[in-house]
Amino acid sequence: MNHDIKDRELADDGKRRIDWADRFMPVLRLIRQRFEQERPLEGVRLSACLHVTTETANLARVLKAGGAEVLLCASNPLSTQDDVAASLVVHDSIPIFAIKGEDTETYYQHIDEAVNFQPMVTMDDGADLVSRLHSEEANPSYVENVLAGTEETTTGVIRLKSMAAEGVLRYPIIAVNDAQTKHFFDNRYGTGQSTLDGIIRATNLLIAGTTVAVVGYGWCGRGFADRARGLGANVIVTEVDPLNALEAVMDGFRVLPMIQAAAEADLVVTLTGNIHVLRREHFETMKDGAIICNSGHFNVEINIPDLKDLSTEVRTTRELVEEYSLKDGRKLYLLGEGRLINLVAAEGHPASVMDMSFANQALSAEYVVKNHEQMDNCVYDVPEELDASIAKLKLQALGVAIDQLTEEQQTYLNSWTMGT
Ligand code: NAI
């Protein structure tokens, strides 16, 4: 079996950590048990381009249990957990192409392995695999043979919707990110907590009393802002969307333009999915010693070339912390090369929240294999009944019971929807 990982010797460490994550993924476990019986993905070649973490390992095992031939490559050069990659190769015979810290050339060589696997289904996180399959680099017949795909994150969904709008998307995709049991929980609680975890691991910063500027008050920003406040930070929010800005105000945060927030912040965290939200004019006003990081999908939110241009020297002061000495004597600290800090410096989202995200992935893969013939080349939502079934299973697993509508209540509500 072809693969490219850092070190097979790490496999047993990886296995122990994957099993630990599995304890917190009861919904995925139930799906695995059903998949073992029913084998809904029998004979399906599936290329996944995801962060290679313990949670992803459990997803890969579920897909394999369902009968799929799975190949996994990294969706970010810095997020791979090398012990997990080793365990999947050694203990599960799943071909993995991912090494933490791989350079850009290797990153794309690894994606090319996923392309050349000639997948029937793709599973992406950020749409790099889909883009590569559609590019001139790939054998054109490969994209023709893909039945359908799934996409994990906001940025990927935006890229794919724009491909669909231009009429260049060649197969249907399910936007797993847009499932309620995904972004309500994963983006908000998962990114919220793990972004703080990454910042603290990288810096050992005391959050209490720190002024934190949160750039973007979408799903991830809301989760992060709330958790930073919980640890005692003075949180400022910056936004471009009036509704989300208003929500931040009503949630009790100060909302300021970026230029003012930059001047006050000890820590700036970008979570927008947008480009250069932090740039020269902001660096010019920032306080000496301010820390900057990103938890959005791509490392484009912070304009690093601008920062370099303003600096006389860049040095690594501690692992994942680069000190930029500015011409005027101030120093700014960039974490994790501006890549998503929760995966670079910490372990990404907790398994309990990835349980639901990856349950959506597994069920969506099953759905597209069954239904691809009725689907067009566009981006679809996760079917509502799948989404609802995951919420039900998660509640069950948590031991939380809820009430049922009485017959009278059901009739009453129906009468409104029927307009009587
Ligand atoms: P979202 O669309 O819910 O929120 C983004 C927010 O940023 C919006 O409110 C938008 O108005 C705001 N925004 C855009 N440009 C801005 C600017 N120049 N200044 C201030 N605000 C601006 O998206 P979501 O789900 O919160 O995702 C954000 C990013 O995080 C995406 O790139 C997504 O792929 C990524 N993501 C990262 C995860 C991680 O593990 N670190 C997990 C999930 C998503």
Side-chain angles (χ1 to χ4, degrees):
M1 182 188 66
N2 225 350
H3 60 267
D4 191 17
I5 58 172
K6 184 166 183 208
D7 182 0
R8 295 173 68 92
E9 296 294 312
L10 300 172
D12 289 348
D13 290 345
K15 173 95 177 74
R16 273 190 290 275
R17 293 202 314 111
I18 293 167
D19 288 345
W20 173 254
D22 186 51
R23 293 171 56 86
F24 300 95
M25 305 184 89
V27 177
L28 207 55
R29 244 187 346 261
L30 282 174
I31 296 172
R32 184 164 71 214
Q33 284 156 11
R34 179 170 68 74
F35 273 20
E36 275 163 0
Q37 305 281 312
E38 297 177 8
R39 308 274 293 174
L41 306 176
E42 192 71 62
V44 172
R45 271 188 319 283
L46 188 152
S47 287
C49 178
L50 300 169
H51 301 295
V52 181
T53 63
T54 52
E55 295 79 21
T56 304
N58 283 315
L59 171 63
R61 291 157 86 194
V62 171
L63 299 169
K64 194 171 174 194
E69 270 181 71
V70 183
L71 179 148
L72 174 63
C73 68
S75 60
N76 183 291
L78 283 184
S79 63
T80 298
Q81 297 171 2
D82 289 316
D83 57 344
V84 169
S87 175
L88 285 170
V89 167
V90 172
H91 296 297
D92 297 287
S93 303
I94 295 178
I96 308 295
F97 293 85
I99 299 173
K100 184 173 174 119
E102 62 197 15
D103 58 22
T104 307
E105 196 187 334
T106 314
Y107 175 70
Y108 282 105
Q109 275 167 8
H110 286 165
I111 292 186
D112 285 341
E113 293 286 347
V115 168
N116 295 332
F117 193 55
Q118 299 184 46
M120 296 150 75
V121 173
T122 61
M123 204 170 260
D124 225 335
D125 186 334
D128 277 353
L129 172 58
V130 177
S131 299
R132 198 73 171 172
L133 257 167
H134 283 71
S135 76
E136 286 170 2
E137 256 76 32
N139 180 324
S141 68
Y142 293 172
V143 73
E144 299 300 329
N145 295 330
V146 181
L147 308 178
T150 63
E151 169 54 52
E152 172 74 7
T153 198
T154 313
T155 287
V157 172
I158 292 170
R159 289 177 83 186
L160 293 165
K161 282 190 174 162
S162 118
M163 284 172 76
E166 285 168 27
V168 296
L169 186 66
R170 306 292 288 276
Y171 58 87
I173 305 264
I174 293 206
V176 164
N177 180 73
D178 295 353
Q180 297 191 335
T181 46
K182 201 279 185 181
H183 66 270
F184 277 15
F185 303 96
D186 167 316
N187 301 31
R188 182 162 41 167
Y189 300 101
T191 313
Q193 177 173 313
S194 60
T195 299
L196 266 166
D197 185 12
I199 293 166
I200 292 169
R201 288 198 209 191
T203 59
N204 201 21
L205 187 73
L206 178 69
I207 302 295
T210 300
T211 300
V212 179
V214 179
V215 187
Y217 201 67
W219 290 105
C220 295
R222 288 182 193 106
F224 177 75
D226 207 27
R227 268 136 206 88
R229 174 161 65 186
L231 283 183
N234 299 308
V235 178
I236 304 170
V237 167
T238 78
E239 250 301 338
V240 290
D241 178 292
L243 196 65
N244 290 5
L246 191 57
E247 188 179 348
V249 171
M250 301 274 173
D251 286 344
F253 295 109
R254 282 171 72 208
V255 175
L256 290 177
M258 189 68 245
I259 197 79
Q260 288 175 31
E264 287 196 32
D266 304 302
L267 168 68
V268 182
V269 186
T270 58
L271 307 109
T272 68
N274 204 349
I275 189 167
H276 297 166
V277 295
L278 206 59
R279 52 187 180 271
R280 177 180 290 268
E281 69 214 60
H282 307 124
F283 302 137
E284 281 170 345
T285 69
M286 287 178 86
K287 290 203 272 196
D288 180 34
I291 297 171
I292 308 163
C293 67
N294 166 51
S295 207
H297 188 77
F298 284 118
N299 63 338
V300 297
E301 305 213 6
I302 300 167
N303 189 333
I304 299 174
D306 269 3
L307 189 54
K308 284 195 177 134
D309 200 39
L310 287 170
S311 305
T312 52
E313 193 194 345
V314 183
R315 66 177 186 117
T316 303
T317 49
R318 144 187 186 119
E319 198 188 354
L320 300 173
V321 183
E322 282 176 321
E323 180 185 79
Y324 284 76
S325 299
L326 273 59
K327 291 171 189 152
D328 60 15
R330 282 174 305 129
K331 293 186 193 311
L332 299 180
Y333 294 92
L334 174 68
L335 307 187
E337 299 172 17
R339 297 186 190 276
L340 12 78
I341 193 64
N342 62 332
L343 280 143
V344 170
E347 293 174 61
H349 296 168
S352 173
V353 85
M354 292 315 290
D355 188 26
M356 287 189 283
S357 308
F358 284 165
N360 274 292
Q361 284 285 12
L363 296 183
S364 295
E366 179 185 30
Y367 180 88
V368 294
V369 166
K370 278 195 193 137
N371 296 291
H372 65 93
E373 278 170 1
Q374 288 86 54
M375 296 169 83
D376 296 321
N377 296 345
C378 51
V379 180
Y380 287 85
D381 285 341
V382 172
E384 240 173 74
E385 62 280 9
L386 280 189
D387 210 352
S389 75
I390 291 168
K392 246 190 208 162
L393 287 174
K394 189 70 176 177
L395 279 176
Q396 243 173 42
L398 294 171
V400 177
I402 60 170
D403 290 321
Q404 307 289 323
L405 289 172
T406 63
E407 224 168 278
E408 182 195 22
Q409 289 165 344
Q410 187 73 67
T411 314
Y412 178 73
L413 293 175
N414 284 350
S415 73
W416 289 111
T417 48
M418 289 161 69
T420 54

